[in-house]
Amino acid sequence: RRVLFRAVLAGGGTPRRLYELLAGEYGDNIAWHQVHLFWGDERCVPPDRPQSNFKLAQETLLARIPLPAENVHRIPAELEPPREAAAAYERLLRSHWPQATCPAFDLVLLGLGTDGHTASLFPGDPVLEERKSWVRAILAPPAYEIRQRITLTLPAINSAGAIYFLVSGETKVPVLHRVLEQNGSALPASRVRPAEGEPRWFLDEAAAKGLQRAQGGR
């Protein structure tokens, strides 16, 4: 039986450079036919819209690698109402792990919002207490342009073998500092813990330098 690698892609613009690297100089070292890709969250728009997390991955990664189409498992966030989209994606995940209490992703990539959200798990949202469902439809805070979202829940994310956070820009430094110093225990990002160990953090230069200043030059 072939060994498969099941990874969850992050949303937003932060992973763009990573996807470009994976499609370029590092892509030849990856056995793409053994990789299955999923998504951590999606805005409720059609997959060809600029706001679609799938569209970013499609343009920067999927269209440039020999990944079989059947190995791409996007969230059908255009389905109405959103709870039907969430239910459809949960059915898809459970078809891959039919007897499991949680999916067993090998790797989950996540971003970090300035408010401490990750995937589409926002501070204070009741979905943070979800224990049974793997996927939920949520309504983002009013400040967000597209409020209707589909997201993996904390149990689905935390079941992963490894979780990598990708953080870019100095604007993320205050919340990043809170999460790393454990002063933001109520923040969704602080509640992310892989099945074993701790999440790994990958920062761009601006975030890394800003964090160093916030930590007093440590």
Side-chain angles (χ1 to χ4, degrees):
R1 185 171 180 264
R2 289 185 304 170
V3 176
L4 300 179
F5 185 82
R6 299 179 175 95
V8 174
L9 299 184
T14 299
R16 175 186 294 273
R17 183 57 182 146
L18 172 63
Y19 297 164
E20 290 172 346
L21 289 170
L22 289 174
E25 57 192 275
Y26 296 104
D28 292 341
N29 298 321
I30 298 173
W32 289 111
H33 65 285
Q34 294 181 324
V35 175
H36 282 250
L37 295 180
F38 301 83
W39 272 258
D41 72 318
E42 185 59 275
R43 301 176 181 96
C44 288
V45 296
D48 59 351
R49 295 286 178 85
Q51 302 93 336
S52 166
N53 290 333
F54 170 79
K55 180 178 174 62
L56 174 67
Q58 172 68 23
E59 292 178 346
T60 58
L61 177 62
L62 304 180
R64 301 167 58 193
I65 58 174
L67 182 70
E70 61 269 23
N71 292 16
V72 177
H73 311 288
R74 74 174 184 88
I75 299 173
E78 70 278 12
L79 295 181
E80 292 285 351
R83 66 174 180 272
E84 291 301 323
Y89 204 56
E90 177 133 0
R91 288 193 297 271
L92 184 149
L93 294 182
R94 290 185 182 273
S95 73
H96 286 262
W97 292 278
Q99 305 300 324
T101 56
C102 278
F105 300 116
D106 297 289
L107 172 64
V108 172
L109 298 176
L110 293 172
L112 177 68
T114 55
D115 56 1
H117 86 266
T118 190
S120 281
L121 300 170
F122 292 89
D125 195 301
V127 78
L128 293 172
E129 308 308 322
E130 177 62 57
R131 293 294 177 264
K132 294 182 180 180
S133 296
W134 298 359
V135 186
R136 288 283 300 273
I138 66 98
L139 194 65
Y144 288 85
E145 176 190 4
I146 298 175
R147 299 187 65 193
Q148 294 281 3
R149 311 279 186 99
I150 310 300
T151 186
L152 294 184
T153 61
L154 281 171
I157 291 171
N158 285 339
S159 66
I163 298 174
Y164 293 175
F165 275 95
L166 310 175
V167 184
S168 64
E170 197 164 356
T171 59
K172 306 288 181 69
V173 170
V175 72
L176 173 62
H177 187 240
R178 286 184 64 195
V179 172
L180 294 180
E181 297 293 321
Q182 300 182 341
N183 295 324
S185 58
L187 297 176
S190 295
R191 300 178 63 173
V192 171
R193 290 287 182 272
E196 296 182 8
E198 298 288 327
R200 295 189 68 182
W201 296 83
F202 294 85
L203 317 181
D204 71 356
E205 186 175 10
K209 288 183 175 179
L211 180 63
Q212 187 175 34
R213 287 192 295 268
Q215 292 176 326
R218 295 204 305 269

